[in-house]
Amino acid sequence: MSLETLLTCLFIIAGRMADVTLGTVRTISVVRGRKHTAVLLGFTEVLIWIFVVAKVVSGLSENLILGVCYAGGFALGNFLGITVDEWLAFGEQSTMIVSKQGRELAKALREKGWVITELPGQGRDGPTVILMAITARRKVAELHKQV
């Protein structure tokens, strides 16, 4: 493989990783109602995509490896997009905790600053308490740890 082909492959892989990652975050932004972010990400995503596709199409007849690089960049971009979403953790998440010691647990969590709603419940082995918390996605692991 020539140096030019190698550099072209790296450009295609990096470009696809970038545009697919941006597409994933853009989709999440649309769902979350972040219009301005979605517009900026969409513009950048498509601009990158156009240059990458042009490079692949112009050289594909001589070098089929460019198609493989394009597909590989797409796959890696999906992985990276999901990773970025986990890192950004936009939005909120509802957490439900079912416990026989729900009232005591709710009190302890409230003392630590969590907003908790209690509901009566009935489990297989008798009465329970259902605790509900709506929190930022990035704080869910912390809540689980404290529970």
Side-chain angles (χ1 to χ4, degrees):
M1 180 182 305
S2 71
L3 180 60
E4 181 182 348
T5 301
L6 179 62
L7 292 174
T8 300
C9 282
L10 291 175
F11 169 78
I12 291 167
I13 290 169
R16 281 305 280 164
M17 286 176 66
D19 93 78
V20 173
T21 298
L22 290 173
T24 302
V25 177
R26 176 189 50 78
T27 301
I28 293 162
S29 297
V30 167
V31 170
R32 302 272 185 227
R34 297 171 179 256
K35 292 184 237 179
H36 297 96
T37 302
V39 168
L40 181 62
L41 291 172
F43 177 83
T44 308
E45 170 194 358
V46 171
L47 190 62
I48 293 169
W49 182 85
I50 287 170
F51 287 111
V52 170
V53 167
K55 196 69 165 167
V56 171
V57 170
S58 68
L60 194 58
S61 62
E62 295 93 36
N63 204 339
L64 295 177
I65 192 74
L66 300 182
V68 173
C69 292
Y70 184 87
F74 177 81
L76 292 170
N78 279 295
F79 179 83
L80 186 58
I82 292 167
T83 303
V84 168
D85 172 53
E86 291 170 349
W87 178 71
L88 291 175
F90 288 142
E92 296 181 329
Q93 183 170 325
S94 174
T95 301
M96 183 177 6
I97 305 149
V98 180
S99 172
K100 287 187 175 187
Q101 293 83 33
R103 298 207 188 284
E104 296 83 13
L105 182 57
K107 182 180 177 195
L109 290 171
R110 286 185 185 115
E111 287 172 359
K112 294 184 180 202
W114 297 102
V115 178
I116 302 292
T117 301
E118 295 177 51
L119 302 165
Q122 182 65 40
R124 182 189 72 193
D125 298 328
T128 62
V129 176
I130 301 167
L131 305 179
M132 300 281 295
I134 297 176
T135 187
R137 275 184 56 208
R138 66 177 54 93
K139 292 188 174 189
V140 170
E142 181 184 341
L143 174 61
H144 289 178
K145 186 186 242 183
Q146 290 182 8
V147 167

